[in-house]
Amino acid sequence: MKARQSTRNNGWQIFRWPLLMALANAVGLIAALVGNGWYDLLSWATLGLTLVVIVAAWRGWSAK
Amino acid sequence: MALSQTGIRRWYLVHKWTSIVCTAFLLMFCITGLPLIFHHEIDELTRAPVLSEQTEGTASLDAVAADAVGKHPGWHNIFISYDEEEPIIYAAVGPTLTAGDDTGKLYLYDARSGEHLNAPPFDEGVMAFLLDLHAHLLMGIPGQLFLGVVGLVFLVAVISGVVVYAPFMRRLSFGTVRKDRSKRVKWLDTHNMVGIVTLGWVTVVGLTGFIITMTVPIQAIWQMDQLAEMAAPYKDAQPPEKLASVDAAVATVRNAVPDAKVSFVSWPGTQFSTTHHYMVALAGDTPLTERLINPAMVDAETGELTDVRDMPWYVQTLFLSVPLHFGDYGGLPLKIIWALLDIAAIVVLVTGLYLWLGRRRVPIEKRIAELNSGGLAEPAE
């Protein structure tokens, strides 16, 4: 079974991806507040990434 | 990083019970919130007054205020505000200066011609009901404060969810959703994956929602703090007998602060002003600064500008929480993303409910074993 690893993940390995996602969320939430135009585009891209990751993971993608 | 077995057990119980307490309310938030994201668009379709073809002219605020209050002899003007996007002026009047939207009335005017616009009232219709349910649980200020407590419990559920995510993922890669095992493993993985991916957004929407439920206390603090300070020099003065022109007051403020946008004017004696001032709210022109309204105080007797302040940090926090909660600050694409994230949150809630209902009579030891094994040691019936 590919999903189950033989070695144990440490805290950094477990939380590096969630931290990256939270960071992308934060950038997206703030960008659209700061300005319009490119800032809005950045906001859509980073918050939209969340949705892309959900769909990809549901369809079988996982990190590593 | 590694939690002891008792630690995991404790956090698991925190996650379970805080989630049970607030899941029903959160489902209500998410379901009513979905159409509310598009409040403005739906309003435009259903309520949008037919704006006249004319595009020139600037309505007189004095005339608009007089017309609105003239519809109800003995009533008072409370405030006038400009719509953010459409050329519309809202004029609020009420039987008392401190009347809320339950007893007062809000009238719409064309901001160019000053003509009264015949639009259905704001406090009727499906959207008004949904907002009242979402924000007040249909129970006014007590309902709003209660929902604030629900918001706090929810934030504890989120934090404890992150804590128990760690032992679960010890041998799994980020994003794993195993569909080739049992149905339970599939929904457990989905709950964890969607929950952790949407963590940032859900935390911000939850936290800003909580801050918005604190509107009444925050306003009360501002009244006792900054507003009282600005009212202090007038402590012994009689309330003005004849009010100065609103148009003149706004013009005075515009001259003094040319780059600011006037969004709102509050009458003396209302909850947004002192008994002696018009409060003219000034906003900037970026999505950030247009939310950070600052008060300019105009003496309502002499028409002189007496004070322009910055709002204190706690009021600015409240102002900034509104867009971050509703997602109405980055165009239609952001609203659509907001709606899809809202649906993702519903998925987390429903899968969580399924996981709890599906194995209710299983001893906790087996549930902890399930958590520790990444879902492989399944709790048997």
Side-chain angles (χ1 to χ4, degrees):
Chain A
M1 181 70 209
K2 187 172 148 280
R4 189 164 168 84
Q5 305 158 1
S6 48
T7 52
R8 285 161 67 97
N9 291 320
N10 60 28
W12 168 244
Q13 285 164 331
I14 293 170
F15 283 110
R16 58 188 174 180
W17 276 89
L19 275 173
L20 193 67
M21 295 302 302
L23 196 67
N25 270 269
V27 168
L29 288 165
I30 294 166
L33 264 187
V34 175
N36 291 319
W38 287 105
Y39 287 100
D40 280 342
L41 215 60
L42 177 65
S43 167
W44 303 335
T46 46
L47 284 170
L49 179 69
T50 313
L51 300 164
V52 173
V53 170
I54 291 173
V55 172
W58 175 253
R59 297 185 57 180
W61 172 87
S62 70
K64 279 193 290 183
Chain B
M1 199 66 222
L3 277 169
S4 68
Q5 286 306 301
T6 31
I8 292 172
R9 185 192 162 102
R10 220 168 272 158
W11 279 105
Y12 169 76
L13 285 172
V14 170
H15 187 60
K16 176 179 154 180
W17 284 106
T18 49
S19 301
I20 289 171
V21 165
C22 61
T23 293
F25 294 105
L26 287 169
L27 276 172
M28 180 279 283
F29 284 143
C30 287
I31 292 165
T32 57
L34 207 49
L36 284 174
I37 295 169
F38 303 100
H39 201 163
H40 192 87
E41 284 75 10
I42 296 170
D43 263 359
E44 259 177 17
L45 288 176
T46 57
R47 180 182 284 113
V50 186
L51 292 169
S52 54
E53 291 300 306
Q54 140 194 15
T55 52
E56 294 300 310
T58 315
S60 155
L61 296 177
D62 286 310
V64 164
D67 186 79
V69 81
K71 294 177 194 296
H72 302 273
W75 280 29
H76 307 271
N77 284 111
I78 297 174
F79 68 80
I80 271 181
S81 72
Y82 287 95
D83 190 273
E84 278 169 37
E85 289 164 29
E86 303 294 325
I88 297 173
I89 294 173
Y90 304 100
V93 292
T96 64
L97 283 167
T98 51
D101 53 6
D102 45 344
T103 53
K105 288 254 179 243
L106 195 65
Y107 292 106
L108 274 66
Y109 291 86
D110 189 315
R112 299 160 303 193
S113 64
E115 262 173 65
H116 175 237
L117 298 168
N118 220 342
F122 272 84
D123 52 357
E124 284 173 20
V126 179
M127 295 308 284
F129 172 79
L130 289 179
L131 183 61
D132 196 28
L133 181 60
H134 186 97
H136 302 109
L137 210 56
L138 311 178
M139 289 190 286
I141 291 163
Q144 187 175 36
L145 295 173
F146 172 76
L147 291 179
V149 177
V150 171
L152 284 183
V153 175
F154 168 63
L155 290 171
V156 176
V158 170
I159 293 165
S160 57
V162 174
V163 174
V164 296
Y165 177 80
F168 186 83
M169 297 302 285
R170 230 172 260 143
R171 288 182 190 278
L172 295 172
S173 307
F174 171 79
T176 302
V177 180
R178 291 160 294 179
K179 293 180 178 167
D180 51 353
R181 302 202 174 241
S182 68
K183 222 170 146 190
R184 185 174 171 85
V185 167
K186 183 170 86 177
W187 293 123
L188 187 52
D189 281 352
T190 305
H191 180 80
N192 288 327
M193 181 272 286
V194 181
I196 203 74
V197 169
T198 55
L199 174 69
W201 180 81
V202 154
T203 307
V204 167
V205 173
L207 192 63
T208 52
F210 165 71
I211 293 169
I212 294 167
T213 65
M214 293 292 114
T215 297
V216 174
I218 288 173
Q219 198 184 328
I221 293 170
W222 177 68
Q223 286 167 344
M224 288 185 287
D225 176 20
Q226 192 180 64
L227 196 60
E229 213 174 277
M230 295 190 286
Y234 296 81
K235 205 173 55 169
D236 302 318
Q238 290 294 313
E241 278 183 15
K242 199 170 177 303
L243 295 180
S245 153
V246 189
D247 286 310
V250 168
T252 304
V253 172
R254 282 206 173 113
N255 276 335
V257 196
D259 53 344
K261 198 174 84 181
V262 172
S263 61
F264 180 91
V265 182
S266 187
W267 259 249
T270 63
Q271 49 191 330
F272 308 109
S273 195
T274 74
T275 51
H276 247 90
H277 290 100
Y278 284 117
M279 191 274 267
V280 181
L282 297 175
D285 55 4
T286 71
L288 183 71
T289 55
E290 80 179 7
R291 312 280 176 163
L292 294 175
I293 289 164
N294 290 316
M297 308 305 282
V298 177
D299 189 310
E301 207 157 25
T302 64
E304 274 170 42
L305 180 67
T306 60
D307 220 338
V308 183
R309 299 265 184 129
D310 284 342
M311 277 290 186
W313 65 269
Y314 51 87
V315 178
Q316 296 193 333
T317 306
L318 174 64
F319 286 158
L320 279 185
S321 295
V322 175
L324 285 170
H325 188 75
F326 287 98
D328 58 353
Y329 62 105
L332 193 59
L334 188 66
K335 290 187 180 186
I336 293 168
I337 291 170
W338 221 259
L340 294 170
L341 288 167
D342 183 288
I343 293 169
I346 294 177
V347 170
V348 178
L349 290 170
V350 172
T351 50
L353 205 57
Y354 168 88
L355 293 167
W356 173 59
L357 290 175
R359 292 285 196 276
R360 249 183 311 175
R361 275 160 302 191
V362 167
I364 179 150
E365 284 69 26
K366 295 208 169 156
R367 294 171 158 278
I368 302 294
E370 180 185 36
L371 192 67
N372 270 325
S373 66
L376 288 183
E378 284 192 54
E381 288 289 355

